[in-house]
């Protein structure tokens, strides 16, 4: 199909005029169950969004969708873009929703706009996209489409990070507690954490870079789309998303109490680079003794066959975002 051919080809260089082209017709895909869209305020949100786009002279078609329907809706939107019916695809939701839509747009050249409607909004924050809805739409209307990297593992795209080890188990347990007991997200995560730390899984992995291979025993391995800050108030953020590299963070094998102390120092912003093994590279292969691994991708969990082939996709996305200040 032509859609797959477009997604797989390399992005053509973007000229200055193309990068600052204001969109006039957009498809807006909204996760109906994200933090700020779920509930009785949906009609009010629809009206506010429509008004904000109208203010900037943008014709916007709005769809509220379940998470399971986002991908197919994004594929339809890309088809419209390839036929000249729309100028850009906009996604409203959290990091998981953005990642789903980005996975369809990557490599297509179709600009992606972001309206942060999730709980944490890491990707939007790292791109300095305002969290206020009207301001985020103003960024889209300005038409500055920046090339942004993505990460990929065995064909699955991620915009923030991917991890192996304790975190995927935490998320699965958290979702079960939220679904069965009706617990809010953070209390469910705390209880899931207590269970995970009690079981304390250690993974035996083999890590292979371009010209080296080494065994690894670790409770947690984390692959970032570009480099994360590890200390101070900027902990967990990225200064750049366009350096074309993956950053591999490996927690050293240690006791349960040492890992808890490491997690505490991470929360209060006192984590130091020496606490982790850090490797920066464009590609990495990770294999285990088991045939499949639980893998977290932007907070979503998948079971993926080993070995895991990670790679960076430089400039795979064109995202409406403020132009970074010159250093």
């Amino acid at each position: 199909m032509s859609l797959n051919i477009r997604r797989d080809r390399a992005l053509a260089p973007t000229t200055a005029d193309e990068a600052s082209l204001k969109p006039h017709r957009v498809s807006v895909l909204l996760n109906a169950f994200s933090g700020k869209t779920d509930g009785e305020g949906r009609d009010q949100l629809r009206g506010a969004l429509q008004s904000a786009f109208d203010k900037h002279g943008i014709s916007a078609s709005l769809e509220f969708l379940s998470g399971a329907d986002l991908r197919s809706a994004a594929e339809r939107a890309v088809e419209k873009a390839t036929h000249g019916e729309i100028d850009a695809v906009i996604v409203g939701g959290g990091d998981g929703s953005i990642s789903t839509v980005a996975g369809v747009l990557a490599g297509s050249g179709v600009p992606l706009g972001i309206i942060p409607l999730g709980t944490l909004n890491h990707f939007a924050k790292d791109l300095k996209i305002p969290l206020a809805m009207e301001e985020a739409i103003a960024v889209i209307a300005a038409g500055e489409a920046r090339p942004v990297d993505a990460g990929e593992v065995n064909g699955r795209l991620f915009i923030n990070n991917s991890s192996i080890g304790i975190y995927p188990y935490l998320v699965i347990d958290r979702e079960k507690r939220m679904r069965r007991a009706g617990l809010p997200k953070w209390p469910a995560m705390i209880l899931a954490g207590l269970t995970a730390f009690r079981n304390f899984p250690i993974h035996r992995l083999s890590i292979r870079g371009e010209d080296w291979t080494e065994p690894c025993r670790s409770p947690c391995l984390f692959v970032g789309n570009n480099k994360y800050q590890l200390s101070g108030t900027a902990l967990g953020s990225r200064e750049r998303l366009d350096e074309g590299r993956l950053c591999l963070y490996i927690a050293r094998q240690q006791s349960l109490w040492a890992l808890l102390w490491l997690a505490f120092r991470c929360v209060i912003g006192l984590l130091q680079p020496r606490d982790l093994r850090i490797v920066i590279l464009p590609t990495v292969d990770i294999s285990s003794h088991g045939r499949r691994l639980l893998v977290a991708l932007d907070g979503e969990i998948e079971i993926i066959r080993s070995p895991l082939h990670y790679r960076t996709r430089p400039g795979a996305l064109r995202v409406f975002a403020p132009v970074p200040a010159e250093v």
Side-chain angles (χ1 to χ4, degrees):
M1 292 178 63
S2 60
L3 176 59
N4 289 333
I5 294 173
R6 286 182 56 87
R7 287 214 311 247
D8 289 341
R9 73 186 186 189
L11 281 175
T14 302
T15 68
D17 289 339
E18 289 173 332
S20 56
L21 183 64
K22 176 180 177 177
H24 295 283
R25 299 162 300 169
V26 300
S27 178
V28 184
L29 311 179
L30 300 145
N31 187 335
F33 302 101
S34 67
K36 298 178 184 177
T37 58
D38 196 11
E40 298 178 357
R42 193 174 300 168
D43 290 340
Q44 183 178 357
L45 176 61
R46 179 187 292 274
L49 286 166
Q50 201 74 64
S51 176
F53 279 110
D54 290 345
K55 176 183 174 181
H56 293 282
I58 300 175
S59 174
S61 172
L62 275 61
E63 294 182 75
F64 284 88
L65 303 149
S66 68
D69 293 330
L70 272 173
R71 182 174 183 85
S72 58
E75 290 172 346
R76 292 193 300 271
V78 170
E79 286 283 10
K80 289 180 181 179
T82 60
H83 288 95
E85 298 174 27
I86 59 172
D87 305 315
V89 178
I90 316 300
V91 57
D95 288 310
S97 302
I98 296 168
S99 184
T100 297
V101 175
V104 177
L105 269 64
S108 71
V110 177
L112 171 65
I114 294 171
I115 304 174
L117 298 175
T119 304
L120 298 176
N121 302 304
H122 290 300
F123 191 62
K125 290 176 181 176
D126 290 344
L127 287 172
K128 306 299 187 289
I129 295 172
L131 300 186
M133 181 191 69
E134 295 85 356
E135 295 177 20
I137 292 174
V139 168
I140 294 167
E144 296 286 350
R146 292 171 47 193
V148 174
D149 304 338
E152 185 181 278
V153 54
N154 292 24
R156 281 82 156 180
L157 183 132
F158 58 93
I159 54 174
N160 292 326
N161 55 69
S162 172
S163 64
I164 307 163
I166 197 168
Y167 181 72
Y169 291 94
L170 281 172
V171 173
I172 289 175
D173 196 356
R174 180 195 70 192
E175 296 300 314
K176 286 181 180 178
R177 293 174 188 276
M178 291 174 66
R179 184 172 60 252
R180 295 175 181 176
L183 291 174
K185 185 174 185 177
W186 288 112
M189 190 62 151
I190 292 170
L191 291 174
L194 294 173
T195 300
F197 280 118
R198 188 167 60 246
N199 295 331
F200 196 59
I202 296 290
H203 286 259
R204 296 168 60 191
L205 305 168
S206 176
I207 303 173
R208 180 161 57 90
E210 185 176 357
D211 54 4
W212 55 272
T213 301
E214 68 176 59
C216 167
R217 287 174 59 86
S218 173
C220 182
L221 185 148
F222 179 98
V223 182
N225 173 26
N226 288 284
K227 187 178 180 181
Y228 278 82
Q229 300 298 308
L230 293 180
S231 61
T233 57
L235 176 72
S237 65
R238 292 164 290 179
E239 291 182 355
R240 300 285 299 271
L241 282 87
D242 59 359
E243 294 186 310
R245 57 186 186 174
L246 301 175
C247 198
L248 184 66
Y249 303 87
I250 306 168
R252 303 183 191 280
Q253 182 182 349
Q254 51 196 313
S255 70
L256 170 60
W257 294 111
L259 188 62
L260 286 171
W261 175 238
L262 179 67
F264 175 73
R265 287 190 293 118
C266 178
V267 169
I268 64 175
L270 294 179
L271 188 67
Q272 298 296 322
R274 65 175 178 271
D275 294 320
L276 302 167
R277 168 98 188 275
I278 302 173
V279 184
I280 297 174
L281 66 185
T283 63
V284 65
D285 291 346
I286 300 171
S287 57
S288 72
H289 293 286
R291 292 184 177 180
R292 293 176 174 83
L293 284 167
L294 276 179
V295 181
L297 299 164
D298 295 325
E300 304 294 327
I301 309 303
E302 293 195 28
I303 300 173
I304 303 180
R305 183 180 292 275
S306 176
L308 306 179
H309 304 289
Y310 283 93
R311 68 173 178 133
T312 182
R313 294 185 60 183
L317 300 168
R318 292 179 62 205
V319 182
F320 292 119
V323 177
E326 294 292 336
V327 179

